[in-house]
Amino acid sequence: MTTPSPPECVQIGPIIAQDSEALFRWFNDAHTARLDYAWRPVDGLSHQKWLASLGTDPTQIWFAIRRAAQGPIIGFAILRNISAVHRSAELGVRIGEEGERGRGLGKDAARQVLQFCWQVLNLHRVQVAAFADNERALRLYTGLGFRREGILRQAQFIDGKWKNVVVMGLLRK
């Protein structure tokens, strides 16, 4: 029996102009989007406006996920609803291409974002929300130490069906 290889290491960093094409493609991937929100197509002009606005909202931070510092973007992470008063935020992570998923890359990136939350932003609490049927996301967050705090029943209407949303939280040690 062979031992599984360790997950590949990734680096988080700023989103740059060269990431625009991949991000545009991922935002318009209806199948993947439906794993965590109601998909709505994004047009090119809105995408460029969004890209130009990155860094202007103090309540959110977007990170590019890369295998190497200068490598191509393979995914992204977001901290949103950052509250300095309550020392809290919400986390989201996505590896862009299906073939890149399931290798531990998202988990490695999420660990780095959490370290940023604790060490740089001095947050006390980070929460996530995932559809109750998104087992991959629930495993990821459980593996990072998040604990289930509740279920929002029939909170999202996706593809003609109501979905429950699991809310999980992680407190700074």
Side-chain angles (χ1 to χ4, degrees), residues 102-116:
R103 296 179 173 185
L105 303 174
K107 188 173 188 177
D108 190 28
R111 277 192 191 114
Q112 292 176 49
V113 173
L114 288 169
Q115 287 303 311
F116 180 84

Side-chain angles (χ1 to χ4, degrees), residues 7-8 10 35-36 65 76-78 91-96 100-114 126-148 166 168-170:
E8 298 177 48
V10 297
L35 294 174
D36 56 9
I65 302 172
F76 61 88
I78 179 174
L91 170 68
V93 178
R94 174 164 311 157
I95 299 300
E100 300 284 3
R101 298 179 193 138
R103 296 179 173 185
L105 303 174
K107 188 173 188 177
D108 190 28
R111 277 192 191 114
Q112 292 176 49
V113 173
L114 288 169
V126 174
Q127 77 176 38
V128 296
F131 289 150
D133 62 356
N134 188 344
E135 295 175 13
R136 181 181 276 171
L138 295 173
R139 276 194 313 271
L140 165 73
Y141 296 130
T142 300
L144 290 166
F146 283 83
R147 295 174 61 184
R148 284 182 188 236
V166 176
M168 304 175 82
L170 180 64

Side-chain angles (χ1 to χ4, degrees), residues 73-88:
I73 189 171
I74 62 166
F76 61 88
I78 179 174
L79 288 173
R80 64 181 148 240
N81 297 323
I82 299 169
S83 171
V85 173
H86 302 297
R87 295 178 49 206
S88 64

